């Protein structure tokens, strides 16, 4: 574990890029082998739209990375944050606790807030306008949302007192797990159910991409599923009942136009409909 920890302390940018690209490539191939849905669309054309937003995310985060490192350095130098206040522990436990807390504050909380604050929802719903959810959807984020997510990552780093190695391990896991749970793959139901007690499984996260409330406002998790179960935001929905997209922006043609997507956050807020779970069969 020490060698892994040391590696991530100074992981080269090129290696982080390899993790991103390798994850997309692996799950892209797996989608052809064990698809969940036989989606009738051009995977390449669909991918280019989401890759565009992947590139904008990188362009937003790269020049701001020094702020994240400065935040981490400050917490270590000033003995601030949860990890610095806890008793000395083995490296593997320190990494586990740090990654779990970063997942809660930098991912789950950020995601929940984006669904509850109308202004932020305007940026996040670009992620939900994808009518053909697959592994590339994981990186479909408006540049404005990338800024919001970066701010929450800094906040999480500050509260946790996370050293650079823990941050890098968290981000690597976050990228791969997000690609995994968005992937259009079909796992044996029993396997998916067991996984969903620990990590966010594909079937669990697909519920979040159903086009209507309350399912859209459920299963916010990215790495660990514990947070949704703990905070009462965990819901189930059979795969065959899931309809991708978002009810306030149903036009698939417009939702495949990068220019139109970039403008969505600046349009008037549209109120969504909500399904009555008690009347749903």
């Amino acid at each position: 574990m020490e060698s892994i920890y040391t590696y991530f302390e100074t992981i080269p940018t090129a290696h982080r890029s390899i993790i991103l690209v390798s994850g997309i490539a692996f799950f892209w191939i797996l989608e052809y082998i064990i698809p969940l849905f036989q989606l009738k669309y051009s995977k390449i054309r669909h991918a280019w739209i989401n890759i565009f937003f992947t590139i904008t995310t990188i362009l937003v985060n790269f020049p701001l990375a020094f702020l994240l490192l400065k935040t981490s350095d400050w917490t270590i130098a000033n003995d601030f944050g949860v990890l610095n206040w806890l008793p000395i522990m083995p490296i593997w436990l320190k990494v586990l606790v740090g990654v779990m807390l970063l997942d809660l504050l930098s991912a789950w909380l950020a995601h929940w807030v984006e669904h509850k604050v109308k202004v932020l929802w305007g940026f996040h719903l670009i992620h939900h306008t994808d009518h053909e959810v697959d592994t590339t959807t994981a990186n479909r984020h408006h540049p404005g949302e990338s800024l919001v997510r970066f701010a929450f990552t800094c906040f999480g780093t500050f509260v946790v007192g996370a050293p650079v190695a823990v941050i890098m391990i968290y981000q690597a896991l976050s990228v791969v797990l997000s690609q995994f749970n968005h992937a259009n793959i079909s796992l044996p139901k029993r396997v998916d159910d067991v996984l969903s007690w620990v990590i966010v499984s594909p079937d669990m996260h697909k519920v979040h991409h159903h086009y209507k409330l309350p399912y859209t406002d459920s299963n916010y998790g990215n790495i660990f599923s514990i947070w949704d179960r703990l905070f009462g935001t965990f819901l189930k929905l059979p795969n065959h009942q899931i309809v991708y997209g978002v009810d306030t922006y149903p036009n698939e043609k417009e939702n495949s136009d990068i220019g139109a997507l970039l403008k969505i956050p600046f349009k008037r807020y549209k109120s969504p409909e909500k399904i009555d779970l008690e009347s749903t069969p």
Side-chain angles (χ1 to χ4, degrees):
M1 187 67 209
E2 289 187 14
S3 60
I4 295 174
Y5 190 89
T6 302
Y7 166 73
F8 276 97
E9 279 185 318
T10 57
I11 182 173
T13 301
H15 290 195
R16 298 181 67 193
S17 300
I18 289 172
I19 292 173
L20 171 66
V21 174
S22 297
I24 292 176
F26 175 77
F27 292 117
W28 175 284
I29 294 171
L30 208 58
E31 287 174 337
Y32 282 105
I33 301 172
I34 51 171
L36 175 61
F37 297 119
Q38 296 290 346
L39 301 179
K40 299 178 180 179
Y41 68 101
S42 170
K43 280 179 69 69
I44 293 178
R45 184 179 184 280
H46 172 261
W48 279 119
I49 296 171
N50 293 342
I51 288 173
F52 168 82
F53 286 108
T54 302
I55 293 171
T56 61
T57 298
I58 293 172
L59 291 177
V60 168
N61 282 276
F62 186 75
L64 294 175
F66 78 96
L67 292 176
L68 187 59
L69 297 178
K70 288 291 185 182
T71 301
S72 175
D73 290 343
W74 186 91
T75 62
I76 302 303
N78 292 274
D79 198 31
F80 184 87
V82 176
L83 288 182
N84 296 306
W85 298 332
L86 291 173
I88 296 176
M89 61 187 79
I91 290 181
W92 69 266
L93 184 57
K94 179 179 181 179
V95 170
L96 177 61
V97 172
V99 169
M100 289 189 70
L101 290 176
L102 285 174
D103 184 52
L104 170 63
L105 299 173
S106 302
W108 190 93
L109 180 62
H111 199 175
W112 182 83
V113 169
E114 287 177 330
H115 277 253
K116 301 304 177 184
V117 178
K118 291 180 181 179
V119 173
L120 299 184
W121 169 245
F123 289 98
H124 178 59
L125 70 79
I126 279 72
H127 182 70
H128 284 268
T129 56
D130 199 336
H131 297 266
E132 315 289 359
V133 174
D134 65 18
T135 192
T136 66
T137 307
N139 304 304
R140 182 185 174 112
H141 298 292
H142 192 284
E145 181 182 7
S146 297
L147 286 171
V148 173
R149 291 293 182 120
F150 180 84
F152 270 92
T153 301
C154 284
F155 169 71
T157 297
F158 179 73
V159 173
V160 175
V164 172
V166 171
I167 297 170
M168 295 298 114
I169 292 173
Y170 158 71
Q171 290 189 331
L173 289 173
S174 180
V175 166
V176 174
L177 265 294
S178 184
Q179 292 168 344
F180 167 66
N181 57 49
H182 282 89
N184 179 42
I185 57 176
S186 177
L187 300 178
K189 192 59 183 173
R190 180 60 179 167
V191 172
D192 195 286
D193 286 343
V194 171
L195 286 175
S196 72
W197 280 98
V198 182
I199 62 172
V200 179
S201 67
D203 285 1
M204 176 182 169
H205 190 71
K206 297 302 190 303
V207 175
H208 180 75
H209 279 272
H210 185 61
Y211 79 118
K212 281 193 175 183
L213 294 171
Y215 298 103
T216 312
D217 283 357
S218 70
N219 301 2
Y220 297 107
N222 187 40
I223 298 177
F224 298 102
S225 59
I226 183 176
W227 310 123
D228 284 300
R229 295 179 182 277
L230 184 63
F231 297 119
T233 53
F234 177 79
L235 286 179
K236 287 186 175 183
L237 185 66
N239 289 332
H240 70 273
Q241 293 183 24
I242 295 174
V243 178
Y244 292 141
V246 60
D247 61 345
T248 53
Y249 284 87
N251 191 312
E252 292 191 35
K253 184 176 180 181
E254 288 185 3
N255 294 338
S256 298
D257 181 273
I258 292 173
L261 291 171
L262 288 171
K263 295 175 183 176
I264 286 179
F266 309 104
K267 293 183 178 181
R268 185 176 181 180
Y269 175 78
K270 297 181 181 180
S271 298
E273 296 180 9
K274 186 174 184 177
I275 300 172
D276 184 357
L277 290 181
E278 294 184 359
S279 64
T280 302

